Amino acid sequence: MRAQHGEARMSELENTRGLIRKLWPKEQAMLRDHLLRLDKESRRLRFAHGVSDAFIEDYAARMADLGAIVFAYMEDGEIRGAAELKKVGDVWGREAETAFSVEKTFHDRGIGTELMGRVIRAARNRGVQILFMSCLAENNRMQTIARKHEAELRFQYGEVVGEIIPEEPNYFSLLAEAVEDRVGFMMTVFDLQRRVVAAA
Ligand SMILES: CC(C)(COP(=O)(O)OP(=O)(O)OC[C@H]1O[C@@H](n2cnc3c(N)ncnc32)[C@H](O)[C@@H]1OP(=O)(O)O)[C@@H](O)C(=O)NCCC(=O)NCCS
């Protein structure tokens, strides 16, 4: 799905026309809808077991309360991919958890890889040193992505627990996240305007 002629290029990703940005707390419904669109197999890989619609609805509703950071790949006002960065405990500490989901029709376009880059940097900027990413041993696609980010994977009870050890934060990593937040905001406003005009 490459950018159409004349269409504003909103993505740094080669084969997409969407945008990755942080989700705002009031946008939980969009995360819920994205997770609900995951097919049965993707749900099993994402949550390490099959989950019902009711489970997803409850899970998405709790995201903001948990103070999680969610990076979303957005296209035409819908979330098509998401990466969650969650605290272990009440405050950001040495360890955090992460999880990824990209809808099937959007696979293999580099979205998961880019989302993981954002998560690692956000973790680094919050002083997190170890990121736990639990995925099933058969999940080769996720392991390919983790390897691209030089993750260290260790096997545990039939699952793969990826420990990603980010570097210390620095001026550039903090600045890059802040700039991307601003760009994400501006592009969302432009996109909204574009869709309102198109609908009129
Ligand atoms: C895992 C997931 C997030 C990946 O998203 P994605 O956007 O397709 O990922 P990318 O396109 O960035 O990268 C996929 C990589 O896996 C590779 N790949 C595809 N099929 C593969 C396979 N069977 N075995 C190994 N690697 C494979 C792709 O070639 C690509 O690598 P490349 O960029 O070097 O070519 C997505 O498949 C997903 O949501 N799966 C269901 C939920 C899940 O598994 N979540 C992870 C557990 S938390």
Side-chain angles (χ1 to χ4, degrees):
M1 207 176 288
R2 290 185 181 277
Q4 302 294 305
H5 184 66
E7 187 176 46
R9 177 137 179 84
M10 294 179 65
S11 178
E12 60 283 79
L13 293 164
E14 189 67 15
N15 297 319
T16 68
R17 59 189 175 84
L19 157 84
I20 291 179
R21 68 163 171 85
K22 274 189 204 143
L23 213 59
W24 302 326
K26 297 268 178 212
E27 294 179 313
Q28 287 156 339
M30 284 203 293
L31 177 67
R32 176 200 63 204
D33 293 347
H34 157 66
L35 293 172
L36 285 172
R37 278 192 296 272
L38 295 179
D39 60 274
K40 201 172 161 191
E41 177 62 1
S42 296
R43 285 187 190 193
R44 191 178 70 82
L45 292 171
R46 162 62 187 79
F47 293 98
H49 53 89
V51 294
S52 65
D53 287 0
F55 175 94
I56 288 179
E57 279 165 22
D58 181 54
Y59 178 86
R62 281 188 291 113
M63 266 297 123
D65 298 340
L66 294 174
I69 295 174
V70 180
F71 288 95
Y73 171 75
M74 314 273 308
E75 210 174 287
D76 296 329
E78 301 277 11
I79 295 178
R80 299 299 184 177
E84 297 149 33
L85 178 63
K86 288 177 277 189
K87 299 169 197 157
V88 176
D90 293 340
V91 291
W92 292 106
R94 190 168 168 269
E95 299 174 352
E97 293 171 9
T98 186
F100 299 83
S101 51
V102 175
E103 291 177 32
K104 210 162 200 163
T105 47
F106 291 80
H107 279 183
D108 296 330
R109 298 181 195 190
I111 296 169
T113 302
E114 180 67 25
L115 285 169
M116 187 179 273
R118 303 291 179 105
V119 159
I120 292 172
R121 193 180 57 207
R124 178 185 180 190
N125 285 344
R126 282 153 189 81
V128 173
Q129 290 166 9
I130 301 177
L131 267 179
F132 289 99
M133 180 193 61
S134 179
C135 75
L136 300 179
E138 74 218 48
N139 198 340
N140 295 326
R141 194 177 259 116
M142 196 64 232
Q143 290 169 43
T144 300
I145 296 175
R147 271 187 220 106
K148 286 203 274 185
H149 286 284
E150 297 179 13
E152 292 174 21
L153 300 174
R154 103 184 130 80
F155 291 82
Q156 214 179 48
Y157 306 114
E159 280 192 338
V160 177
V161 177
E163 289 186 21
I164 304 168
I165 307 176
E167 296 161 31
E168 292 286 303
N170 61 30
Y171 171 76
F172 295 105
S173 66
L174 292 165
L175 183 69
E177 186 176 343
V179 168
E180 272 168 17
D181 285 352
R182 289 193 76 125
V183 171
F185 177 75
M186 278 168 7
M187 295 309 271
T188 305
V189 173
F190 288 146
D191 185 45
L192 198 64
Q193 242 174 8
R194 183 178 61 81
R195 284 186 291 118
V196 167
V197 169

